[in-house]
Amino acid sequence: MDQFGVLMTCPMFPYLEQELDRRFKLFRLWDFPSKSEFLGHHSGSVRAVVGDTKVGADSELIEALPRLEIVSSYSVGLDRIDLEKCKERGIRVTNTPDVLTEDVADAAIALILTLLRKVCVADAFVRSGKWMSGDFEVASKFSGKSVGIIGLGRIGSAIAKRAEAFNCLISYHSRSPKPHTTYRYYSSVVDLARNSQILVVSCSLTEETRHIINREVIDALGPKGVLINIGRGAHVDEPELVSALLEGRIGGAGLDVFEKEPEVAEELFELENVVLLPHVGSDTEETSKAMADLLIGNLEAYFLKKPLLTAVI
C-alpha cells in the first residue's frame, strides 16, 4: 500500500509514525518550512490525513487536498476535524475509541487522589527537608465523597465504576438520562455541581459543551468542591476558573487539558491546590500502541475496501 499518500499533521507516538512510514507513502507536515510549501508540491498526492488532539483536519486543509478520502484521528475526540466539511466531500472519518477508556479513567482518579491527599505538595515537603522541622499538614479523603460526572459515556462510566470502589456517591449530567444505571441524573450542570464535592468533566467537546464549566457552575461547586477535567480544555472557562481559585471560591482543580495547549495560565503554577498534567490521560505505552494499531487498521481496511473498524463518518 505504499502508493497511498498519508499526511501526518504533527509528531505523534513514534511507533505510529514508523508503522505508517512502513506501510504507506508518508508525508510529515512538520518536515516542510510551511504548510503552503507542502501543499504546493504534494496536495495531489494525499489520500489520507492522520491528526490528533493538537492538529487535525480543518476546513482549510481539507479544501486544499483534492484527493483526500479519509481522515483518521489518533484520539477519541473529533473537535480538531471539520466533520461537516468531511460529510460535504464524502470523506470518511475514524477515531480510536474504547482502547483509551481505562487509561483516561485511571488518570481522572489519579488527579482526584493527588489533589485531595496533597501528594505533590507532600512530595515537595519531603524533598525540601521541611519534614525535619515538623509534620506535614492534614489532607482530605476521597472515600465516600459525592462525585458528579459530566458525560456518562465510555470514559465517564469507567470513572464512575472506579469511584464506586471508593464508596463514592455517583451522580451525572448528560443530554438525557442513561438507561440501566442507578446513578442520580441531573438535567442541570449547576444542580449537579451544587450536589457534588468532586465534579469531573468527561464529555465530548461540542458547541453545546464549550465552557460548560462557567462562573455559575464553579460557584455552585463552591469553596470546598474540586474540579477535575480530563475532557478538553475548552470545556472550562479558564479565566473564570483561575479567578475562582485565586479568590478561594473553589477548593481546587486537577487538570489534564487546557484551552490553549500547551499554554497554561501562569497564575496556576504557584497554587498548591492545583494539579497540572500535560494532556497525558491516555499516554501509556500500552494504550498508545493500541491506538496506533487501531488507526492503522482503519486505514488498511479503507484502502483494501473493507469495513472500517471505528467509523465516525
Side-chain angles (χ1 to χ4, degrees):
M1 275 186 271
D2 57 4
Q3 73 271 28
F4 297 116
V6 174
L7 172 65
M8 282 187 83
T9 59
C10 61
M12 301 175 205
F13 188 46
Y15 168 81
L16 172 61
E17 185 179 337
Q18 292 162 11
E19 291 302 306
L20 287 172
D21 199 25
R22 190 166 68 85
R23 290 171 165 82
F24 305 100
K25 182 179 181 181
L26 182 62
F27 298 101
R28 299 167 177 84
L29 189 57
W30 63 95
D31 279 349
F32 294 81
S34 66
K35 184 193 294 186
S36 59
E37 182 164 330
F38 167 78
L39 293 171
H41 290 89
H42 303 289
S43 61
S45 302
V46 176
R47 306 273 296 278
V49 166
V50 172
D52 66 359
T53 58
K54 298 184 288 294
V55 186
D58 59 16
S59 177
E60 181 186 4
L61 181 62
I62 293 169
E63 286 286 3
L65 300 173
R67 299 185 65 204
L68 181 62
E69 299 173 35
I70 182 169
V71 176
S72 288
S73 178
Y74 184 60
S75 73
V76 67
L78 300 163
D79 49 288
R80 297 294 185 182
I81 301 172
D82 190 325
L83 297 178
E84 290 304 314
K85 181 62 67 174
C86 288
K87 289 177 184 176
E88 181 185 309
R89 285 268 307 269
I91 294 167
R92 305 299 302 274
V93 177
T94 68
N95 63 347
T96 57
D98 297 320
V99 293
L100 50 70
T101 298
E102 304 301 324
D103 274 352
V104 177
D106 287 350
I109 299 301
L111 281 169
I112 294 171
L113 286 168
T114 302
L115 183 61
L116 295 182
R117 295 306 301 269
K118 303 183 179 180
V119 173
C120 295
V121 184
D123 178 84
F125 181 83
V126 175
R127 292 175 188 270
S128 67
K130 292 180 180 178
W131 196 13
M132 300 296 292
S133 303
D135 292 337
F136 185 65
E137 61 193 276
V138 295
S140 180
K141 70 185 297 183
F142 175 31
S143 298
K145 279 192 163 54
S146 54
V147 177
I149 300 173
I150 301 175
L152 201 68
R154 297 179 184 92
I155 294 172
S157 297
I159 294 168
K161 181 179 178 181
R162 285 157 172 74
E164 278 191 296
F166 287 85
N167 296 316
C168 292
L169 179 66
I170 312 297
S171 52
Y172 72 100
H173 166 80
S174 60
R175 282 172 290 187
S176 59
K178 300 289 185 182
H180 315 303
T181 180
T182 58
Y183 306 143
R184 182 169 182 178
Y185 171 73
Y186 287 93
S187 59
S188 162
V189 178
V190 174
D191 289 340
L192 177 67
R194 188 174 291 119
N195 289 278
S196 301
Q197 292 167 290
I198 302 165
L199 186 63
V200 183
V201 183
S202 66
C203 54
S204 300
L205 179 61
T206 64
E207 284 307 310
E208 182 183 6
T209 63
R210 186 176 298 274
H211 286 188
I212 195 169
I213 305 299
N214 54 26
R215 186 184 183 93
E216 186 180 10
V217 172
I218 291 169
D219 287 345
L221 187 57
K224 292 187 177 179
V226 300
L227 175 70
I228 305 295
N229 188 8
I230 47 78
R232 287 289 184 269
H235 282 130
V236 177
D237 186 332
E238 232 166 69
E240 286 290 352
L241 175 61
V242 171
S243 296
L245 287 163
L246 293 174
E247 296 165 10
R249 290 187 288 111
I250 186 175
L255 309 172
D256 181 47
V257 289
F258 304 88
E259 192 159 15
K260 297 180 180 178
E261 297 175 7
E263 296 177 24
V264 178
E266 292 184 5
E267 297 95 324
L268 299 176
F269 295 162
E270 302 302 319
L271 298 179
E272 292 187 344
N273 60 338
V274 176
V275 178
L276 308 171
L277 297 179
H279 202 154
V280 293
S282 63
D283 288 4
T284 65
E285 188 77 27
E286 298 87 347
T287 292
S288 295
K289 184 176 184 301
M291 290 168 62
D293 288 337
L294 180 54
L295 185 151
I296 292 165
N298 273 308
L299 289 179
E300 289 185 331
Y302 177 79
F303 288 121
L304 291 172
K305 303 188 185 304
K306 295 180 179 180
L308 297 177
L309 305 178
T310 53
V312 176
I313 297 175

Coordinates of all heavy atoms in Angstrom, one line a residue, residues 269-306:
F269 N 0.6 28.1 38.5 CA 1.8 27.4 38.8 C 2.2 27.4 40.3 O 2.8 26.5 40.8 CB 3.0 28.0 38.0 CG 2.9 27.8 36.5 CD1 3.7 28.6 35.6 CD2 2.1 26.9 36.0 CE1 3.6 28.4 34.3 CE2 2.0 26.7 34.6 CZ 2.7 27.5 33.7
E270 N 1.8 28.5 41.0 CA 2.1 28.6 42.4 C 1.1 28.1 43.3 O 1.2 28.2 44.5 CB 2.4 30.1 42.7 CG 3.5 30.7 41.8 CD 4.8 30.0 41.9 OE1 5.2 29.6 43.1 OE2 5.5 29.8 40.9
L271 N 0.0 27.6 42.8 CA -1.1 27.2 43.6 C -1.0 25.7 44.1 O -0.9 24.9 43.2 CB -2.5 27.4 42.9 CG -2.8 28.8 42.5 CD1 -4.2 28.8 41.8 CD2 -2.9 29.7 43.7
E272 N -1.0 25.5 45.4 CA -0.8 24.2 45.9 C -2.1 23.3 45.8 O -2.0 22.1 45.9 CB -0.3 24.2 47.4 CG 1.1 24.8 47.5 CD 1.6 24.7 48.9 OE1 0.7 24.5 49.9 OE2 2.8 24.8 49.1
N273 N -3.2 24.0 45.6 CA -4.5 23.2 45.4 C -4.8 23.0 44.0 O -6.0 22.8 43.6 CB -5.6 24.0 46.1 CG -5.8 25.4 45.5 OD1 -5.0 25.9 44.9 ND2 -7.0 25.9 45.7
V274 N -3.8 22.9 43.1 CA -4.0 22.6 41.7 C -3.0 21.6 41.3 O -1.8 21.7 41.6 CB -3.8 23.9 40.8 CG1 -3.9 23.6 39.4 CG2 -4.9 24.9 41.2
V275 N -3.4 20.6 40.5 CA -2.5 19.6 39.9 C -2.6 19.7 38.4 O -3.7 19.7 37.9 CB -2.9 18.1 40.4 CG1 -2.0 17.1 39.7 CG2 -2.8 18.0 41.9
L276 N -1.5 19.8 37.8 CA -1.5 20.1 36.3 C -0.8 18.9 35.6 O 0.4 18.5 36.0 CB -0.7 21.4 36.0 CG -1.2 22.6 36.8 CD1 -0.3 23.8 36.6 CD2 -2.6 23.0 36.4
L277 N -1.4 18.4 34.6 CA -0.8 17.4 33.7 C -0.8 17.9 32.3 O -1.7 18.6 31.9 CB -1.6 16.1 33.8 CG -1.7 15.4 35.1 CD1 -2.5 14.1 35.0 CD2 -0.3 15.0 35.7
P278 N 0.2 17.5 31.5 CA 0.4 18.0 30.1 C -0.4 17.1 29.1 O 0.2 16.6 28.1 CB 1.9 17.9 29.9 CG 2.3 16.7 30.7 CD 1.5 16.7 31.9
H279 N -1.7 17.0 29.3 CA -2.6 16.2 28.4 C -2.0 14.8 28.1 O -1.7 14.4 27.0 CB -2.8 16.9 27.1 CG -4.1 16.5 26.4 ND1 -4.7 17.3 25.5 CD2 -4.7 15.3 26.4 CE1 -5.8 16.6 25.0 NE2 -5.8 15.4 25.6
V280 N -1.9 14.0 29.2 CA -1.3 12.7 29.1 C -2.3 11.6 29.6 O -1.8 10.5 29.9 CB 0.0 12.6 29.9 CG1 1.1 13.5 29.3 CG2 -0.2 13.0 31.4
G281 N -3.6 11.9 29.6 CA -4.5 11.0 30.1 C -4.5 9.6 29.6 O -4.7 8.6 30.3
S282 N -4.2 9.5 28.3 CA -4.1 8.2 27.6 C -2.7 7.7 27.3 O -2.5 6.7 26.6 CB -5.0 8.2 26.3 OG -4.5 9.1 25.4
D283 N -1.8 8.5 27.7 CA -0.4 8.3 27.3 C 0.4 7.2 28.1 O 1.3 7.5 28.8 CB 0.4 9.6 27.3 CG 0.0 10.6 26.2 OD1 -1.0 10.2 25.5 OD2 0.6 11.7 26.1
T284 N 0.0 6.0 27.9 CA 0.8 4.9 28.3 C 1.3 4.1 27.1 O 0.7 4.2 26.0 CB 0.0 3.9 29.2 OG1 -1.1 3.3 28.4 CG2 -0.7 4.6 30.4
E285 N 2.4 3.4 27.3 CA 3.0 2.7 26.2 C 1.9 1.7 25.6 O 1.8 1.6 24.4 CB 4.2 1.9 26.7 CG 5.0 1.2 25.6 CD 5.9 2.2 24.9 OE1 6.3 3.2 25.4 OE2 6.2 1.9 23.7
E286 N 1.2 1.0 26.5 CA 0.3 0.0 26.0 C -0.9 0.6 25.2 O -1.2 0.2 24.1 CB -0.3 -0.8 27.2 CG 0.7 -1.5 28.0 CD 1.4 -0.7 29.1 OE1 1.2 0.5 29.1 OE2 2.1 -1.3 30.0
T287 N -1.5 1.7 25.7 CA -2.6 2.3 25.1 C -2.2 3.0 23.8 O -2.9 3.0 22.8 CB -3.4 3.2 26.0 OG1 -4.0 2.4 27.0 CG2 -4.4 4.0 25.3
S288 N -1.1 3.7 23.9 CA -0.6 4.4 22.7 C -0.4 3.5 21.5 O -0.7 3.8 20.4 CB 0.7 5.1 23.0 OG 0.5 6.2 23.9
K289 N 0.1 2.3 21.8 CA 0.3 1.3 20.7 C -1.0 0.7 20.2 O -1.2 0.6 19.0 CB 1.2 0.1 21.3 CG 1.5 -0.9 20.2 CD 2.5 -2.0 20.7 CE 2.8 -3.0 19.6 NZ 1.7 -3.6 19.0
A290 N -1.9 0.5 21.2 CA -3.2 0.0 20.8 C -4.0 1.0 19.9 O -4.6 0.7 18.9 CB -4.1 -0.3 22.0
M291 N -3.9 2.3 20.3 CA -4.5 3.4 19.4 C -3.8 3.4 18.1 O -4.5 3.6 17.0 CB -4.3 4.7 20.1 CG -5.1 4.9 21.4 SD -4.6 6.3 22.4 CE -5.0 7.7 21.2
A292 N -2.5 3.3 18.0 CA -1.8 3.3 16.7 C -2.2 2.1 15.8 O -2.5 2.3 14.6 CB -0.3 3.3 16.9
D293 N -2.3 1.0 16.4 CA -2.7 -0.2 15.7 C -4.2 -0.1 15.2 O -4.5 -0.5 14.0 CB -2.7 -1.5 16.6 CG -1.2 -1.9 16.8 OD1 -0.3 -1.5 16.0 OD2 -1.0 -2.6 17.8
L294 N -5.0 0.5 16.0 CA -6.4 0.7 15.5 C -6.5 1.7 14.4 O -7.2 1.5 13.4 CB -7.3 1.2 16.7 CG -8.8 1.5 16.4 CD1 -9.4 0.3 15.8 CD2 -9.4 1.9 17.8
L295 N -5.7 2.8 14.5 CA -5.7 3.8 13.4 C -5.2 3.2 12.1 O -5.8 3.4 11.1 CB -4.8 5.0 13.8 CG -4.8 6.2 12.9 CD1 -4.5 7.5 13.7 CD2 -3.7 6.0 11.8
I296 N -4.1 2.4 12.2 CA -3.5 1.8 11.0 C -4.5 0.8 10.5 O -4.7 0.7 9.2 CB -2.2 1.1 11.4 CG1 -1.2 2.2 11.7 CG2 -1.7 0.3 10.2 CD1 0.1 1.7 12.4
G297 N -5.2 0.1 11.4 CA -6.2 -0.9 10.9 C -7.3 -0.3 10.1 O -7.8 -0.8 9.1
N298 N -7.7 0.9 10.6 CA -8.8 1.6 9.8 C -8.3 2.1 8.4 O -9.0 1.9 7.4 CB -9.2 2.9 10.6 CG -10.3 2.6 11.6 OD1 -11.3 2.0 11.3 ND2 -10.1 3.0 12.9
L299 N -7.1 2.6 8.3 CA -6.5 3.0 7.0 C -6.4 1.8 6.1 O -6.7 1.8 4.9 CB -5.2 3.7 7.2 CG -5.2 5.1 7.9 CD1 -3.8 5.6 8.0 CD2 -6.1 6.0 7.1
E300 N -5.9 0.7 6.6 CA -5.7 -0.5 5.8 C -7.0 -1.0 5.3 O -7.2 -1.4 4.2 CB -4.9 -1.6 6.6 CG -3.4 -1.2 6.7 CD -2.6 -2.3 7.4 OE1 -3.2 -3.1 8.2 OE2 -1.4 -2.4 7.1
A301 N -8.0 -1.0 6.2 CA -9.4 -1.5 5.9 C -9.9 -0.6 4.8 O -10.5 -1.2 3.8 CB -10.3 -1.5 7.1
Y302 N -9.7 0.7 4.9 CA -10.3 1.5 3.9 C -9.7 1.3 2.5 O -10.4 1.1 1.5 CB -10.1 3.0 4.3 CG -10.6 4.0 3.2 CD1 -11.9 4.2 3.1 CD2 -9.7 4.5 2.3 CE1 -12.4 5.1 2.1 CE2 -10.2 5.3 1.3 CZ -11.5 5.6 1.2 OH -12.0 6.4 0.1
F303 N -8.4 1.2 2.4 CA -7.7 1.1 1.1 C -7.9 -0.3 0.5 O -7.7 -0.5 -0.7 CB -6.2 1.5 1.3 CG -6.0 3.0 1.4 CD1 -5.4 3.5 2.5 CD2 -6.5 3.9 0.5 CE1 -5.2 4.8 2.7 CE2 -6.3 5.2 0.6 CZ -5.7 5.7 1.8
L304 N -8.2 -1.3 1.4 CA -8.5 -2.6 0.9 C -10.0 -2.8 0.7 O -10.4 -3.9 0.4 CB -8.0 -3.7 1.9 CG -6.5 -3.8 2.1 CD1 -6.2 -4.7 3.3 CD2 -5.9 -4.3 0.8
K305 N -10.7 -1.7 0.8 CA -12.2 -1.7 0.5 C -12.9 -2.6 1.5 O -13.9 -3.3 1.1 CB -12.5 -2.0 -0.9 CG -11.8 -1.1 -1.9 CD -12.3 -1.3 -3.3 CE -11.5 -0.4 -4.3 NZ -11.6 1.0 -4.0
K306 N -12.5 -2.7 2.7 CA -13.1 -3.5 3.8 C -13.9 -2.5 4.7 O -13.6 -1.3 4.8 CB -12.1 -4.3 4.5 CG -11.5 -5.4 3.7 CD -10.5 -6.1 4.5 CE -9.8 -7.3 3.7 NZ -8.8 -8.0 4.6

